[in-house]
Amino acid sequence: KFCNETSDEVDRREHPNKHFICSFADCKATFSKLWKLEAHYSRHTGLKPFACGDCEKSFCTRYQLTRHHLSHSGEKPYLCSVSGCSDAFSTPGSLRNHAAHVHHQKENSYVCNHQGCGKEFRKKKQLKFHICEHTNELPFECDFEGCNDKFASSKALKRHWKMHKGYPCDEEYCNFKGKTWSEYQKHKKTAHRVTLPCDQCKKMFHNAWFLQKHKQSVHSGERRMFKCIREGCEKSYTTNFNLQNHILVFHEGKHDFACPFAGCGKAFAMEESLKRHFVVHKPQKTKLQVNLCDGCSMCFLIHYILEMLL
């Protein structure tokens, strides 16, 4: 019945809810949403094709770019529903965190009523799988030779199957097989690391995105400038963030974001500036450190990115 089907048609039949298929050779990844496929392509290319028109940032998906635009527009469409609270947020995730930490609200949860358990789950399906642990009814059994493991869901069984199948290296004459996707990726980066030379200098890169940014910032000869539009002001900046900060501080006199640490007293016009300032008070608890470029006003959260672009 299906003898004349193409590989794409077979994939659609076996995965009816996943219509977006990766077009790269030897990649069988399928996705139910377009933005997931776009994010997946970045694994193959190393590029972030969705660039912001107001600053120099780039993103893997349109969704990430759209969410980023809110940081420039200042739009905060997600309002807190608690009576007396006028806070608003740019993303639903920020609103949920606000409700949980400030108002101590919990999302609707499903509670296990098994004696002595009481565990809570955000999804009914999660509770259903959890109950199998109490009843010992695990309907999905692995049929791999010598393996009799059982699982509560087909998804868990599928993940388990990958342990048997593994992730073989696709490089010629390489017999490596990773037990996990992370182990496979680590092998690729260490054993078969790609080297991309800059055609205008002697710099070498291991990522196409870093090479592209290096050429833009060092060899293009052009630096995008954001000029202040206020009358009589001739200030200009290399990033839109610095321009917006200039307008708020020097033209509008705003310092709405005050440091909560006792005895500090500093205040900032932008929330991001306040977050960067926290490094001063708790450097040991800050995983990401802001690094400033000496040649411009750009900021980098990871120091080696700054070094590679210079």
Side-chain angles (χ1 to χ4, degrees), residues 6 11 58 64 98 118-119 179 181 224:
T6 64
D11 193 81
S58 299
Q64 292 172 330
H98 163 78
K119 283 187 176 181
K179 292 182 179 179
W181 175 256
R224 186 176 182 181

PDB file of all heavy atoms in Angstrom, residues 6 11 58 64 98 118-119 179 181 224:
ATOM      1  N   THR A   6       7.412   8.420  -0.694  1.00  0.00           N
ATOM      2  CA  THR A   6       8.724   9.010  -0.472  1.00  0.00           C
ATOM      3  C   THR A   6       9.019   8.996   1.021  1.00  0.00           C
ATOM      4  O   THR A   6       8.131   8.745   1.843  1.00  0.00           O
ATOM      5  CB  THR A   6       8.764  10.455  -0.990  1.00  0.00           C
ATOM      6  OG1 THR A   6       7.845  11.240  -0.226  1.00  0.00           O
ATOM      7  CG2 THR A   6       8.387  10.510  -2.457  1.00  0.00           C
ATOM      8  N   ASP A  11       7.344   9.812   6.702  1.00  0.00           N
ATOM      9  CA  ASP A  11       7.504  10.532   7.967  1.00  0.00           C
ATOM     10  C   ASP A  11       6.202  11.205   8.380  1.00  0.00           C
ATOM     11  O   ASP A  11       5.836  11.209   9.548  1.00  0.00           O
ATOM     12  CB  ASP A  11       8.613  11.572   7.828  1.00  0.00           C
ATOM     13  CG  ASP A  11       9.043  12.141   9.169  1.00  0.00           C
ATOM     14  OD1 ASP A  11       9.834  11.479   9.856  1.00  0.00           O
ATOM     15  OD2 ASP A  11       8.564  13.225   9.517  1.00  0.00           O
ATOM     16  N   SER A  58      20.982  39.151  17.097  1.00  0.00           N
ATOM     17  CA  SER A  58      20.358  38.225  16.150  1.00  0.00           C
ATOM     18  C   SER A  58      19.814  37.035  16.919  1.00  0.00           C
ATOM     19  O   SER A  58      20.309  36.703  17.997  1.00  0.00           O
ATOM     20  CB  SER A  58      21.374  37.756  15.104  1.00  0.00           C
ATOM     21  OG  SER A  58      21.855  38.851  14.363  1.00  0.00           O
ATOM     22  N   GLN A  64      11.668  34.537  19.032  1.00  0.00           N
ATOM     23  CA  GLN A  64      12.658  35.176  19.895  1.00  0.00           C
ATOM     24  C   GLN A  64      12.858  36.631  19.505  1.00  0.00           C
ATOM     25  O   GLN A  64      13.013  37.499  20.365  1.00  0.00           O
ATOM     26  CB  GLN A  64      13.982  34.420  19.810  1.00  0.00           C
ATOM     27  CG  GLN A  64      13.931  33.020  20.422  1.00  0.00           C
ATOM     28  CD  GLN A  64      15.196  32.226  20.147  1.00  0.00           C
ATOM     29  OE1 GLN A  64      15.847  32.411  19.122  1.00  0.00           O
ATOM     30  NE2 GLN A  64      15.536  31.326  21.058  1.00  0.00           N
ATOM     31  N   HIS A  98       6.385  36.585  38.446  1.00  0.00           N
ATOM     32  CA  HIS A  98       5.931  37.664  39.333  1.00  0.00           C
ATOM     33  C   HIS A  98       4.826  37.179  40.269  1.00  0.00           C
ATOM     34  O   HIS A  98       4.864  37.427  41.484  1.00  0.00           O
ATOM     35  CB  HIS A  98       5.428  38.839  38.497  1.00  0.00           C
ATOM     36  CG  HIS A  98       4.589  39.822  39.255  1.00  0.00           C
ATOM     37  ND1 HIS A  98       5.137  40.773  40.098  1.00  0.00           N
ATOM     38  CD2 HIS A  98       3.239  39.999  39.312  1.00  0.00           C
ATOM     39  CE1 HIS A  98       4.163  41.494  40.631  1.00  0.00           C
ATOM     40  NE2 HIS A  98       2.999  41.048  40.163  1.00  0.00           N
ATOM     41  N   GLY A 118       0.648  12.840  47.768  1.00  0.00           N
ATOM     42  CA  GLY A 118       0.340  14.264  47.721  1.00  0.00           C
ATOM     43  C   GLY A 118       1.158  15.086  46.735  1.00  0.00           C
ATOM     44  O   GLY A 118       1.135  16.321  46.781  1.00  0.00           O
ATOM     45  N   LYS A 119       1.899  14.441  45.836  1.00  0.00           N
ATOM     46  CA  LYS A 119       2.676  15.191  44.855  1.00  0.00           C
ATOM     47  C   LYS A 119       1.758  15.957  43.910  1.00  0.00           C
ATOM     48  O   LYS A 119       0.667  15.500  43.589  1.00  0.00           O
ATOM     49  CB  LYS A 119       3.582  14.244  44.048  1.00  0.00           C
ATOM     50  CG  LYS A 119       4.815  13.782  44.800  1.00  0.00           C
ATOM     51  CD  LYS A 119       5.742  13.005  43.874  1.00  0.00           C
ATOM     52  CE  LYS A 119       7.034  12.615  44.580  1.00  0.00           C
ATOM     53  NZ  LYS A 119       7.955  11.872  43.676  1.00  0.00           N
ATOM     54  N   LYS A 179      26.006   7.736  23.626  1.00  0.00           N
ATOM     55  CA  LYS A 179      24.807   7.229  24.289  1.00  0.00           C
ATOM     56  C   LYS A 179      23.720   8.300  24.352  1.00  0.00           C
ATOM     57  O   LYS A 179      22.533   7.981  24.384  1.00  0.00           O
ATOM     58  CB  LYS A 179      25.151   6.752  25.696  1.00  0.00           C
ATOM     59  CG  LYS A 179      26.029   5.516  25.731  1.00  0.00           C
ATOM     60  CD  LYS A 179      26.280   5.070  27.163  1.00  0.00           C
ATOM     61  CE  LYS A 179      27.143   3.812  27.199  1.00  0.00           C
ATOM     62  NZ  LYS A 179      27.407   3.376  28.597  1.00  0.00           N
ATOM     63  N   TRP A 181      22.580  12.591  23.036  1.00  0.00           N
ATOM     64  CA  TRP A 181      22.805  13.628  22.039  1.00  0.00           C
ATOM     65  C   TRP A 181      23.914  14.581  22.494  1.00  0.00           C
ATOM     66  O   TRP A 181      24.752  15.004  21.695  1.00  0.00           O
ATOM     67  CB  TRP A 181      21.521  14.403  21.795  1.00  0.00           C
ATOM     68  CG  TRP A 181      21.675  15.566  20.864  1.00  0.00           C
ATOM     69  CD1 TRP A 181      21.725  16.877  21.194  1.00  0.00           C
ATOM     70  CD2 TRP A 181      21.807  15.515  19.439  1.00  0.00           C
ATOM     71  NE1 TRP A 181      21.885  17.664  20.080  1.00  0.00           N
ATOM     72  CE2 TRP A 181      21.922  16.845  18.990  1.00  0.00           C
ATOM     73  CE3 TRP A 181      21.829  14.477  18.509  1.00  0.00           C
ATOM     74  CZ2 TRP A 181      22.077  17.160  17.638  1.00  0.00           C
ATOM     75  CZ3 TRP A 181      21.971  14.794  17.166  1.00  0.00           C
ATOM     76  CH2 TRP A 181      22.093  16.119  16.747  1.00  0.00           C
ATOM     77  N   ARG A 224      27.345  51.017  12.645  1.00  0.00           N
ATOM     78  CA  ARG A 224      26.008  51.611  12.695  1.00  0.00           C
ATOM     79  C   ARG A 224      25.899  52.532  13.897  1.00  0.00           C
ATOM     80  O   ARG A 224      26.247  52.148  15.012  1.00  0.00           O
ATOM     81  CB  ARG A 224      24.959  50.509  12.768  1.00  0.00           C
ATOM     82  CG  ARG A 224      23.531  51.035  12.680  1.00  0.00           C
ATOM     83  CD  ARG A 224      22.555  49.892  12.664  1.00  0.00           C
ATOM     84  NE  ARG A 224      21.196  50.373  12.530  1.00  0.00           N
ATOM     85  CZ  ARG A 224      20.121  49.581  12.504  1.00  0.00           C
ATOM     86  NH1 ARG A 224      20.277  48.282  12.591  1.00  0.00           N
ATOM     87  NH2 ARG A 224      18.912  50.091  12.376  1.00  0.00           N
TER      88      ARG A 224
END
